[in-house]
Amino acid sequence: MSRRQAPKTARRSPEPAPPARASRLLSLRWLLPALGMTTAAAIALAVLLGLGVGSGEGQTLTVTTCQGGTPGCELRAPTHLHSNLALIIRGETFDFNESQFLSEEGADRSPLAHLHAPRFGVIHIHRTGTSWDEFFKSVGFELADPTIVGTTPDRTCLNLPDGQRLCNSGNETFKFYVNGVRVEGIAFVSMSDLDRVLISYGPEDDAVVQQQMSLVGDDACIPSERCPDRIPKDEPPEPCTKSNDTCVKPGG
């Protein structure tokens, strides 16, 4: 009997090697990220060495955090600006000449902005970028107006220190004026030097409120030293003024 032979399996010829150019491209694809990681590591090391980390045995990088406005953590530049304010509620000017609203030298109610004698309608601003919201909160008020995201005009309200809450409703509404121009609100607006701000709440129309602008003082220029001919001879000295060159003043 003849023995059957197993069928022969066809041999595949080996695939040709990729061209040298493809090998170079593949190498570059791996090389570039490696170079990027090396560069980043070198930059990080340089930063740490610049901070003194690793220059001595046992040294560590310490990050200090603090709350802005507290002593030793002044995140805003010092200044000494002044704004005039009049708050009129149903035709009556709110009196800020009360101990709960006033600051004394060395005992400020806020390091950002505050009131003190002898001008009870002049706000002293000691940090750049201070908002009206920050000032009002420091003296027990809370203002919500359209400058705050999510607050619509119909939800404009002012909480007074005695617990009274005033809101836009019916014919009683808030009217805000800055330097004679009506605006939607001021809560998140930065306080500026010599601003004259009127907040009027009640049934009065714009014509009446325009007349109330005369109730806003214009004496902020005195502590700001912008009207030297109006500065009284017996004006009490203030720290952080242009004359004694202790902080930044507008106009140099």
Side-chain angles (χ1 to χ4, degrees), residues 148-163:
I148 299 174
V149 176
T151 303
T152 54
D154 59 300
R155 297 177 62 186
T156 297
C157 293
L158 178 66
N159 294 337
L160 304 184
D162 62 4

Side-chain angles (χ1 to χ4, degrees), residues 106-187:
D108 295 331
R109 294 193 172 277
S110 168
L112 304 177
H114 51 257
L115 294 162
H116 60 72
R119 297 179 181 84
F120 309 111
V122 175
I123 304 169
H124 298 245
I125 307 151
H126 287 272
R127 287 290 180 271
T128 57
T130 299
S131 69
W132 286 93
D133 171 73
E134 291 173 308
F135 162 70
F136 277 119
K137 284 181 178 177
S138 74
V139 288
F141 293 77
E142 187 168 356
L143 174 63
D145 64 33
T147 62
I148 299 174
V149 176
T151 303
T152 54
D154 59 300
R155 297 177 62 186
T156 297
C157 293
L158 178 66
N159 294 337
L160 304 184
D162 62 4
Q164 186 179 179
R165 181 175 174 83
L166 306 175
C167 294
N168 280 350
S169 60
N171 67 337
E172 290 192 315
T173 59
F174 279 96
K175 277 76 70 174
F176 301 93
Y177 280 80
V178 178
N179 301 324
V181 178
R182 184 166 182 176
V183 295
E184 283 193 326
I186 62 168

Side-chain angles (χ1 to χ4, degrees), residues 5-247:
Q5 295 182 352
K8 294 182 179 181
T9 303
R11 293 185 180 180
R12 295 182 180 178
S13 51
E15 295 181 1
R21 182 173 178 272
S23 298
R24 288 197 298 271
L25 290 176
L26 184 61
S27 299
L28 285 173
R29 289 178 60 189
W30 288 99
L31 180 60
L32 290 176
L35 286 175
M37 294 175 63
T38 304
T39 303
I43 293 173
L45 179 60
V47 171
L48 292 176
L49 290 175
L51 293 172
V53 178
S55 58
E57 187 175 352
Q59 287 187 339
T60 58
L61 176 63
T62 302
V63 178
T64 303
T65 60
C66 57
Q67 183 177 1
T70 58
C73 185
E74 312 300 358
L75 303 182
R76 302 173 184 173
T79 190
H80 199 180
L81 312 178
H82 303 85
S83 293
N84 276 107
L85 169 68
L87 170 61
I88 301 177
I89 301 174
R90 301 184 176 108
E92 297 291 330
T93 302
F94 190 90
D95 187 7
F96 286 99
N97 185 13
E98 299 287 344
S99 59
Q100 62 179 319
F101 306 125
L102 301 178
S103 294
E104 297 180 1
E105 295 299 340
D108 295 331
R109 294 193 172 277
S110 168
L112 304 177
H114 51 257
L115 294 162
H116 60 72
R119 297 179 181 84
F120 309 111
V122 175
I123 304 169
H124 298 245
I125 307 151
H126 287 272
R127 287 290 180 271
T128 57
T130 299
S131 69
W132 286 93
D133 171 73
E134 291 173 308
F135 162 70
F136 277 119
K137 284 181 178 177
S138 74
V139 288
F141 293 77
E142 187 168 356
L143 174 63
D145 64 33
T147 62
I148 299 174
V149 176
T151 303
T152 54
D154 59 300
R155 297 177 62 186
T156 297
C157 293
L158 178 66
N159 294 337
L160 304 184
D162 62 4
Q164 186 179 179
R165 181 175 174 83
L166 306 175
C167 294
N168 280 350
S169 60
N171 67 337
E172 290 192 315
T173 59
F174 279 96
K175 277 76 70 174
F176 301 93
Y177 280 80
V178 178
N179 301 324
V181 178
R182 184 166 182 176
V183 295
E184 283 193 326
I186 62 168
F188 274 13
V189 173
S190 295
M191 307 172 78
S192 299
D193 199 45
L194 307 189
D195 273 352
R196 298 179 68 230
V197 173
L198 169 66
I199 303 175
S200 179
Y201 177 79
E204 296 83 5
D205 59 21
D206 283 345
V208 174
V209 177
Q210 288 269 0
Q211 296 175 4
Q212 293 177 345
M213 276 299 302
S214 63
L215 301 176
V216 184
D218 63 351
D219 53 348
C221 66
I222 295 176
S224 279
E225 300 180 354
R226 302 291 291 276
C227 50
D229 56 320
R230 293 180 57 189
I231 300 177
K233 293 182 180 180
D234 59 348
E235 177 73 8
E238 291 188 65
C240 192
T241 60
K242 180 179 178 181
S243 57
N244 61 28
D245 198 27
T246 56
C247 80

